[in-house]
Amino acid sequence: MTVEAHKETLEFKAEVSQVLDLVIRSLYSNKEIFLRELISNASDAAEKLRFEALSDDGLYEGDVDLRIRVTVDKEAGTLTVSDNGIGLSRAEVVETIGSIASSGTRRFFEKLTGDQAKDSQLIGQFGVGFYSAFIVADKVTLVSRRAGLGAEHGVHWESDGRGSYTLETVEKAGRGTDVTLHLKEEEKEFLDAWRLRSIISKFSDHIALPVEMLKEHHDGPDEDALDAEQDDAKPQTKAPEWEKVNRGTALWMRNKSEVTEEEYHAFYKHIAHDYDPPLAYVHNRVEGTNEYSTLLYVPKKAPWDLWDRDQKHGVKLYVRRVFIMDEADKLLPHYLRFVKGVVDSDDLPLNVSRELLQHNRKIDSIRQANTKRILSLLETLATEEPEKYAEFWGEFGRVLKEGPAEDFANRERLGGLLRFASTQTESDTQSETLDGYIERMKEGQDKVYFITADSAAAARHSPHLEVFRKKGVEVLLLSDRVDEWLVNHMHDYKGKHLQSVTKGDLDLGQLADQEEKAKTEQAAKDHGTLLERLKTALGERVDKVRPSARLVDSPACLVVGEYDMSANLARVLKAVGQDAPKQRPTLEVNLDHPLVKRLESEENETRFNDLGLILFDQAQLAEGGQLDDPAAFVGRLNGLMMSMLLSGR
């Protein structure tokens, strides 16, 4: 089959066309970023070749000196970024350039605000950096060949960014990729070699791979003319002289004192494909029985795929400066999956795999040390820069709440980093600490009280809090889904038991009013008939009915056993398609409430049963639950209102 037969014109997927349209309208406030993105892609391609060549050094094809080259053709108005990395096959070109993951693109557009300055920050986060070339170019050409394939398997891709692209099979002698930008007329400033060198030094100086440009000669202006006048001189073609523009040293291997904050930030943007600088970072070199270097970053913004179960997360793993893998998830616990960075070990084998990482003691040691460094970094932020920590918590707080369930060894440290909403303030912002709660505890209080609900409003207005408000006892308000897993694995903090206000008998310890307690016990005897009638009316819906010591203003509430699953957790499990054990709650009634007093005086059993069911359904609704039979509830309620109207009450 001829090469020409392999040529075809394809349409971009709809979401790609949208991205291209967005990019072409110059979302980037700094156009120089396009060169950083293309060089970063070239660097990634070289690292992937190094990794694959560990098991097949034939992929080098006799050329082991990896590099990136930037050239310009002023006459043609083009700028080319070339690499001799892994390259792309035809299928890979279609997959990586012709399309973007639909889920990622959808979230990308969901986050758009219409503010160009803010929207520009999203491009790098969603892995569409290649398309930044269209900021300065009206046509982009890519020629690539994957290492290990023959020269006849080269691929030529070209597009003007207007909805379609051409794909053609071509001859390409060397492996790797050449990306050529046909610059717009108003962007010809990027043909200036000095301008390009300054951009490379600014954004890509840290890349551990030489970025080369042709050496510029500054000979006398008439030298070529004088040579040409010599009749016996034959035209001479000089070999191009390349010189390295960037420093080309692995930044994580340099001494901290030698690295500027700007360099740290530039390196983060390179590995994270982020437009913003990081929120914080930590750089360490460990020597001894296990030698390795780490450079770990806490991003300022959560990535779009943070909650994607199928997405891999982790840091880059190097062994003796050789790239091994992206997203090495064994180097940090899952609850720190937002951390970006590099781990470079001197001791691991070069052929290490994901399977070997699971059973390697050195990896366990690195993982534990990395975890402690990140927790120490967060503790420093929380203590010394609380505003920054509040920013971090807003983005990653729910992820950190997974920690106590996963990392028992650091449970106490994680407890100190947690933040909650509380009845202490009127705000639903999660800003209160467990340490602060303990400091504010009432004299004689020996528990940390909390409530879980499916929303901040449901937690704050729950009937279960009424007695706590009356006594001035603070309650933590937990409304994130992950909170249920948190409190199920974190039963105490600094010797103080964490107690749900919706479970078991209300035990206020020394805060309890003995007179009120005795009154409640006596009420159970005095109103035994009412409680029995209610239990009969509700049947299997409840385990028992009893007087409430929790309620002040509400007529009733539902309580589960001390060791039973909370009603909120049961709802969470149901929402994600899992079965929750069937359990019967206890109905607590406020015997001083007018509705309960009216119920007690009702002699008509049918009417009594309807009123009892209404009381039960209202208690379910008050805690955020859903009724099994809403129509029946509405019918009983309408019947009650009609009877009141007819009786003139």
Side-chain angles (χ1 to χ4, degrees):
M1 188 177 289
T2 64
V3 168
E4 184 64 28
H6 284 76
K7 185 175 181 179
E8 56 184 332
T9 299
L10 302 171
E11 295 293 321
F12 282 114
K13 291 189 176 180
E15 66 271 8
V16 181
S17 298
Q18 290 177 288
V19 172
L20 284 170
D21 181 61
L22 193 63
V23 171
I24 292 169
R25 286 189 281 112
S26 302
L27 274 183
Y28 277 128
S29 58
N30 184 354
K31 294 181 180 181
E32 299 173 345
I33 299 296
F34 82 90
L35 189 55
R36 184 196 77 185
E37 295 291 334
L38 296 180
I39 290 176
S40 291
N41 288 345
S43 174
D44 289 344
E47 290 181 332
K48 289 175 182 176
L49 175 63
R50 279 178 175 163
F51 175 63
E52 291 194 20
L54 291 174
S55 55
D56 182 7
D57 59 6
L59 293 175
Y60 281 124
E61 302 176 4
D63 180 12
V64 298
D65 296 325
L66 301 178
R67 61 192 175 273
I68 301 167
R69 286 177 172 172
V70 179
T71 57
V72 296
D73 185 335
K74 292 186 178 181
E75 291 187 7
T78 61
L79 183 156
T80 301
V81 177
S82 304
D83 69 73
N84 60 346
I86 193 66
L88 296 166
S89 66
R90 187 184 183 99
E92 288 171 332
V93 169
V94 174
E95 181 182 357
T96 58
I97 299 178
S99 64
I100 305 174
S102 59
S103 61
T105 307
R106 183 174 64 252
R107 297 191 188 187
F108 174 80
F109 284 105
E110 286 174 355
K111 286 181 174 287
L112 294 180
T113 64
D115 183 331
Q116 288 191 356
K118 293 180 179 178
D119 293 345
S120 67
Q121 302 172 15
L122 298 173
I123 290 181
Q125 295 179 31
F126 284 82
V128 292
F130 172 81
Y131 298 109
S132 65
F134 287 101
I135 295 173
V136 296
D138 50 25
K139 184 170 70 174
V140 176
T141 302
L142 177 145
V143 180
S144 186
R145 176 171 70 79
R146 203 180 202 287
L149 298 179
E152 71 276 11
H153 291 286
V155 184
H156 180 281
W157 178 97
E158 188 170 278
S159 176
D160 60 5
R162 296 179 183 175
S164 65
Y165 61 91
T166 61
L167 202 60
E168 181 180 3
T169 300
V170 296
E171 294 275 342
K172 188 177 189 306
R175 67 169 190 273
T177 303
D178 306 322
V179 180
T180 300
L181 282 62
H182 302 261
L183 297 175
K184 300 174 184 177
E185 192 62 37
E186 65 271 21
E187 307 297 349
K188 294 298 177 66
E189 63 177 291
F190 295 108
L191 294 174
D192 182 78
W194 181 88
R195 178 92 162 90
L196 295 175
R197 288 169 184 266
S198 66
I199 295 173
I200 293 169
S201 296
K202 178 180 180 181
F203 291 113
S204 305
D205 195 51
H206 55 272
I207 289 180
L209 200 71
V211 181
E212 300 176 345
M213 291 186 67
L214 285 171
K215 189 173 184 178
E216 295 186 299
H217 296 280
H218 300 285
D219 299 324
D222 298 323
E223 185 175 329
D224 292 338
L226 291 173
D227 290 342
E229 291 177 1
Q230 299 179 8
D231 295 335
D232 58 339
K234 295 181 179 180
Q236 300 291 322
T237 303
K238 293 184 178 180
E241 292 185 60
W242 298 92
E243 63 178 351
K244 189 169 69 172
V245 180
N246 66 324
R247 193 174 306 186
T249 303
L251 182 133
W252 61 89
M253 296 304 298
R254 291 160 56 188
N255 290 329
K256 289 188 284 187
S257 59
E258 299 175 358
V259 186
T260 66
E261 185 172 15
E262 289 74 18
E263 289 176 311
Y264 278 125
H265 287 184
F267 183 67
Y268 165 76
K269 292 175 181 179
H270 163 64
I271 62 170
H273 298 286
D274 199 349
Y275 189 84
D276 282 324
L279 187 70
Y281 57 86
V282 58
H283 184 187
N284 288 94
R285 171 67 184 171
V286 177
E287 296 179 344
T289 55
N290 193 10
E291 296 192 359
Y292 59 93
S293 296
T294 61
L295 178 51
L296 304 174
Y297 294 91
V298 174
K300 187 174 289 187
K301 297 290 183 181
W304 63 271
D305 58 359
L306 185 64
W307 300 99
D308 189 341
R309 290 174 178 267
D310 298 325
Q311 183 66 30
K312 292 181 179 178
H313 298 275
V315 298
K316 291 178 179 288
L317 174 63
Y318 287 75
V319 175
R320 297 187 288 280
R321 269 64 69 202
V322 176
F323 172 75
I324 301 300
M325 68 180 72
D326 272 316
E327 291 132 4
D329 54 357
K330 301 303 176 185
L331 297 172
L332 279 168
H334 190 60
Y335 71 89
L336 294 179
R337 60 186 176 274
F338 53 84
V339 174
K340 302 293 183 182
V342 169
V343 173
D344 190 340
S345 173
D346 292 344
D347 303 317
L348 292 173
L350 282 170
N351 63 347
V352 67
S353 64
R354 291 190 184 275
E355 290 71 27
L356 289 175
L357 288 180
Q358 295 178 5
H359 309 287
N360 191 293
R361 290 185 178 180
K362 293 184 183 295
I363 289 296
D364 292 339
S365 175
I366 294 173
R367 175 191 176 100
Q368 292 171 10
N370 285 344
T371 302
K372 290 179 179 179
R373 289 189 186 97
I374 293 298
L375 295 183
S376 294
L377 180 63
L378 295 177
E379 287 168 345
T380 301
L381 276 183
T383 303
E384 299 179 4
E385 300 180 85
E387 292 183 359
K388 264 193 176 183
Y389 189 77
E391 188 178 348
F392 160 81
W393 186 261
E395 295 290 325
F396 303 108
R398 287 183 298 158
V399 188
L400 206 64
K401 285 180 178 180
E402 297 174 8
E406 181 183 351
D407 188 357
F408 184 83
N410 290 300
R411 190 177 58 171
E412 196 85 351
R413 294 186 71 178
L414 285 164
L417 291 168
L418 300 177
R419 298 293 184 268
F420 305 96
S422 163
T423 56
Q424 173 74 9
T425 67
E426 294 300 320
S427 172
D428 291 331
T429 301
Q430 296 181 11
S431 58
E432 303 301 323
T433 67
L434 288 174
D435 290 298
Y437 181 102
I438 291 173
E439 289 178 4
R440 294 189 295 269
M441 284 172 64
K442 293 278 188 179
E443 185 178 351
Q445 182 180 349
D446 59 355
K447 293 183 177 67
V448 174
Y449 293 102
F450 68 88
I451 183 172
T452 57
D454 59 3
S455 70
R460 186 173 293 278
H461 301 116
S462 171
H464 295 86
L465 302 185
E466 291 175 0
V467 72
F468 293 91
R469 286 200 179 92
K470 178 181 178 181
K471 293 181 176 294
V473 177
E474 183 178 359
V475 179
L476 299 178
L477 309 175
L478 282 59
S479 56
D480 292 330
R481 280 191 174 185
V482 70
D483 286 330
E484 288 288 355
W485 277 265
L486 169 65
V487 296
N488 275 323
H489 290 87
M490 190 168 180
H491 303 119
D492 55 77
Y493 177 72
K494 292 188 175 179
K496 303 296 183 182
H497 179 66
L498 273 62
Q499 176 65 49
S500 171
V501 301
T502 66
K503 285 188 173 186
D505 295 330
L506 181 64
D507 181 12
L508 294 176
Q510 297 181 34
L511 298 176
D513 188 318
Q514 296 303 316
E515 184 178 338
E516 289 182 359
K517 187 176 181 180
K519 181 181 176 183
T520 302
E521 292 175 352
Q522 183 61 41
K525 299 176 182 178
D526 296 342
H527 300 272
T529 302
L530 168 65
L531 302 178
E532 289 177 8
R533 290 177 71 194
L534 272 174
K535 175 64 178 75
T536 302
L538 298 175
E540 294 300 311
R541 293 180 179 84
V542 297
D543 179 49
K544 54 187 173 183
V545 181
R546 68 188 181 201
S548 179
R550 291 175 169 85
L551 301 174
V552 176
D553 301 314
S554 300
C557 68
L558 297 177
V559 179
V560 297
E562 180 67 32
Y563 303 105
D564 289 344
M565 179 183 293
S566 71
N568 186 59
L569 178 55
R571 288 192 293 271
V572 170
L573 291 176
K574 187 176 180 180
V576 297
Q578 295 187 30
D579 293 329
K582 189 72 175 177
Q583 54 192 21
R584 294 185 298 168
T586 293
L587 178 69
E588 290 192 357
V589 293
N590 180 0
L591 294 171
D592 292 328
H593 195 280
L595 288 178
V596 177
K597 290 182 177 180
R598 174 67 185 83
L599 181 64
E600 188 171 21
S601 65
E602 179 60 56
E603 297 179 357
N604 185 301
E605 283 302 311
T606 301
R607 187 180 173 95
F608 179 91
N609 291 344
D610 284 344
L611 291 172
L613 288 168
I614 289 174
L615 204 64
F616 176 80
D617 288 343
Q618 283 183 332
Q620 273 193 301
L621 292 172
E623 65 171 24
Q626 292 184 333
L627 303 182
D628 293 332
D629 191 349
F633 169 72
V634 172
R636 284 190 288 268
L637 197 60
N638 288 341
L640 173 63
M641 290 189 292
M642 287 298 298
S643 64
M644 291 175 64
L645 289 172
L646 293 174
S647 65
R649 294 181 182 178

